[in-house]
Amino acid sequence: MKINELILYREPGHKDILEGMTALIEPEKGYMPNPYEVAGALAEFSAAHGFKGNLWHSFLAYVLATNENAFSMACEIRGAVEGTVNALALHDFAIFKRWFDCDLASLDDLLGIHVFSFLGKYESTGTHSTVFNRRIRDNIQALSEELSKAETESQWHLIMTEFYRRFGVGKFGLHKAFRIEHKERPVIVPIKNIEHVYLDDLVGYESQKKKLIENTEAFVEGREANNCLLFGDSGTGKSSSIKAILHKYYDQGLRMIEIYKHQFQDLSDVIGQIKNRNYKFIIYMDDLSFEEFEVDYKYLKAIIEGGLEVKPGNVLIYATSNRRHLIRENFSDKEEVREDMHRSDTVQEKLSLSSRFGVTIYFGRPEPKEFKQIVVTLAKRAGIDMEEEELLLLANKWELSHGGISGRTAVQFITYLKGTRK
C-alpha cells in the first residue's frame, strides 16, 4: 500500500521520509531509494524531536498527530463523530498500521544491511527536542506505544479519536504561541522557544493579576469575557503577566498569537483561520501605541468592535501599552482655538480605540518599600546569600543608574548579582 492510496491523510508531513521508508518496506519496480539516506533522514528527524525507542513508530505517530484533515479536526472539536468520515479514517488507519507493523530488523535482512535495527531500539543520552517541548514529545511517544499494542484498525480509530479530543491536532494542538509571517497570505507560524514566565514569579501587583486571571478564566471556560488592555509604566510586568497567563491556561486550550501593528491589515484573515478551531485564542499586542500620523489603529477598531463581521467567541485581544489611550495625545487636542472646528470629535476619535477594551488594568511603578520587597523576594528565590541591608544598598545604587525603580530593574539587578557572585 502506498501514500497515494491514502484518502484523508493524503498530505502527510515530512513526506520525503515517509515515501522513502514505504518504498523500502514495499518496493516498487524501477524505484529503490538509498536506504542509508532514508535511515539518516529518519534519525536526524527523530534527534531534532527528541524521540527514542522505535523511531519509525514515533515518526508515524507524529505524522498522525499533526495531520489536519476532516476526521482529525472534527474529533478535535467534538470527540467521537458519526458519518462516512469514520470509514475513510479506518481505510487510512489500515494503511498506517501495515507500515507500523514493519519489523525494522527484518527490513535489514531484506536489504542485506545492518542499519534499521538500530533505529528500532534507539537510545539517546539527550532527548531534548529543538522543535517542541518535552510534554508534547512525551505525548507523541506515548501515542506510538499505544498504537503498537493495538491489533486492529478499529482500535487505532478509538486511540486516535481520543488523542485528538484530548490534545488537538496540528500546530495548534502541539504549540502554545504563534506569530504571523506574510507570504502570499498571512501564515500563522509556531514560536518554538518561548519565555517561561509564571504568575508566582511576579512579585506584587496582586489585584492586577487577580483581575487578569478572572477575565481569562471566564474566557477559557466559555463564559463572557472582555478584551484586555494592560497599561502603565515600563518594566512593571505587563508583558510578563500575559505570558504567564498563557502558561497557566495552556492545558485548558488557551493559545496565543503575537501580532504587530504593521500586520493589523491581516487581522481579519488571521481570525478567519482560527475561528472554527477548538481552542481559545488570545491575540497579543505588546507595547501598543500609535503616533498621530499612523492610521493602522482603525483596522484594530473595526476588528474589536464596529465591523460588520462579529468577532468569534474563541478570540480575545490582549494588549500592553505605556499609554492609557494608546494614541499620542497633545494639549492642542483640547485647546479651544484650533483649526479643527469640532475639537471634541478629534478627542473622541483618539479615545475610541482604548474604550473598546472592556478590561483595563493599570501597572504603576512600585513604591520604594515595594521595590525593596521585590528585590528581597527575588534574591531569596535566586539563592543569593547576603545581608539584607547590604543587598538593598546595592539595589538602590543599581536602580539609580539603571532606569529607576521598577520590577524589571529589580530582575536585572538580581541577574547581575548571580553573574558576579561565585
Side-chain angles (χ1 to χ4, degrees):
M1 293 186 177
K2 305 301 178 185
I3 292 177
N4 59 14
E5 295 181 34
L6 294 170
I7 300 174
L8 298 176
Y9 293 83
R10 62 188 177 278
E11 291 298 330
H14 299 276
K15 198 171 183 178
D16 55 335
I17 298 177
L18 191 59
E19 286 179 335
M21 283 294 296
T22 55
L24 293 174
I25 293 170
E26 300 172 321
E28 288 183 349
K29 289 183 179 180
Y31 174 65
M32 175 59 70
N34 185 322
Y36 298 100
E37 290 183 359
V38 175
L42 179 58
E44 290 290 342
F45 171 88
S46 301
H49 289 74
F51 294 143
K52 60 181 180 180
N54 190 313
L55 301 188
W56 176 229
H57 286 181
S58 296
F59 172 78
L60 289 175
Y62 173 88
V63 170
L64 291 166
T66 56
N67 191 278
E68 297 179 356
N69 57 62
F71 174 74
S72 62
M73 293 179 67
C75 293
E76 171 191 85
I77 295 173
R78 297 183 292 274
V81 295
E82 297 180 356
T84 307
V85 72
N86 291 292
L88 302 180
L90 283 168
H91 169 273
D92 285 3
F93 291 150
I95 297 175
F96 272 94
K97 188 177 186 309
R98 181 168 171 175
W99 293 334
F100 211 84
D101 290 341
C102 170
D103 179 63
L104 295 183
S106 298
L107 183 59
D108 271 350
D109 294 338
L110 179 67
L111 298 171
I113 61 177
H114 189 53
V115 174
F116 288 98
S117 55
F118 292 122
L119 304 185
K121 47 185 177 182
Y122 189 84
E123 296 181 6
S124 175
T125 54
T127 54
H128 174 69
S129 169
T130 59
V131 179
F132 41 55
N133 64 37
R134 182 181 301 173
R135 185 196 61 81
I136 296 171
R137 188 273 317 279
D138 290 346
N139 287 341
I140 293 176
Q141 292 263 226
L143 174 62
S144 73
E145 293 171 7
E146 193 172 3
L147 291 173
S148 68
K149 298 173 184 176
E151 297 180 353
T152 66
E153 55 265 31
S154 295
Q155 291 175 332
W156 269 53
H157 180 274
L158 294 173
I159 291 169
M160 292 312 305
T161 297
E162 178 61 13
F163 182 88
Y164 294 139
R165 186 194 68 79
R166 289 183 61 195
F167 303 112
V169 60
K171 61 187 177 185
F172 295 128
L174 296 179
H175 298 275
K176 292 182 179 181
F178 307 84
R179 56 185 170 81
I180 305 301
E181 287 186 359
H182 197 106
K183 299 179 180 178
E184 293 183 357
R185 60 171 294 188
V187 179
I188 303 173
V189 178
I191 299 174
K192 296 175 182 177
N193 296 304
I194 59 176
E195 184 181 3
H196 286 78
V197 182
Y198 301 92
L199 287 170
D200 290 341
D201 296 337
L202 306 174
V203 183
Y205 300 100
E206 297 305 322
S207 63
Q208 290 90 335
K209 290 189 288 187
K210 182 175 183 292
K211 196 172 182 181
L212 185 62
I213 287 171
E214 287 175 348
N215 191 69
T216 307
E217 283 188 349
F219 179 50
V220 297
E221 292 172 5
R223 295 181 280 119
E224 293 295 321
N226 280 295
N227 300 305
C228 197
L229 172 64
L230 282 61
F231 73 97
D233 299 314
S234 61
T236 51
K238 302 183 296 294
S239 301
S240 295
S241 295
I242 292 180
K243 294 173 186 175
I245 281 292
L246 172 61
H247 293 299
K248 183 176 177 65
Y249 295 103
Y250 166 67
D251 288 339
Q252 297 181 42
L254 184 66
R255 302 293 184 266
M256 191 169 289
I257 301 174
E258 186 173 34
I259 192 167
Y260 300 97
K261 61 184 179 183
H262 70 274
Q263 299 171 319
F264 282 176
Q265 295 183 53
D266 298 330
L267 269 172
S268 293
D269 195 317
V270 170
I271 290 175
Q273 294 180 48
I274 62 178
K275 64 182 181 180
N276 293 322
R277 299 303 298 265
N278 190 33
Y279 304 96
K280 301 292 185 180
F281 291 92
I282 287 177
I283 294 179
Y284 170 46
M285 305 170 183
D286 190 33
D287 198 19
L288 187 62
S289 65
F290 300 91
E291 300 301 323
E292 286 186 313
F293 59 86
E294 293 178 307
V295 296
D296 294 321
Y297 71 92
K298 294 186 178 182
Y299 293 107
L300 181 56
K301 282 173 58 178
I303 290 294
I304 296 177
E305 184 182 321
L308 291 176
E309 185 176 7
V310 177
K311 181 167 63 64
N314 69 329
V315 177
L316 280 186
I317 294 173
Y318 279 20
T320 70
S321 179
N322 294 336
R323 294 176 176 171
R324 169 65 180 86
H325 294 131
L326 300 175
I327 303 172
R328 183 181 180 88
E329 298 175 273
N330 299 313
F331 282 110
S332 61
D333 291 338
K334 298 183 179 181
E335 289 176 357
E336 293 187 6
V337 180
R338 54 172 298 165
E339 293 182 4
D340 188 347
M341 293 179 63
H342 303 284
R343 60 184 176 83
S344 63
D345 292 348
T346 302
V347 175
Q348 288 303 314
E349 168 70 12
K350 290 189 171 184
L351 295 180
S352 61
L353 175 58
S354 60
S355 67
R356 281 169 162 78
F357 289 87
V359 173
T360 55
I361 306 174
Y362 173 64
F363 284 71
R365 285 186 180 272
E367 297 295 328
K369 183 178 180 181
E370 294 171 326
F371 177 73
K372 292 177 181 178
Q373 183 60 42
I374 293 173
V375 169
V376 169
T377 302
L378 293 178
K380 288 181 180 178
R381 290 178 181 174
I384 295 174
D385 186 14
M386 182 186 294
E387 291 292 332
E388 186 173 311
E389 184 177 350
E390 180 187 2
L391 176 70
L392 294 178
L393 179 61
L394 291 173
N396 288 336
K397 290 181 179 179
W398 177 272
E399 62 89 1
L400 287 172
S401 59
H402 291 82
I405 292 175
S406 72
R408 178 181 296 152
T409 305
V411 170
Q412 292 170 346
F413 169 65
I414 296 301
T415 301
Y416 162 76
L417 288 183
K418 288 165 65 179
T420 55
R421 293 174 66 84
K422 297 182 180 179

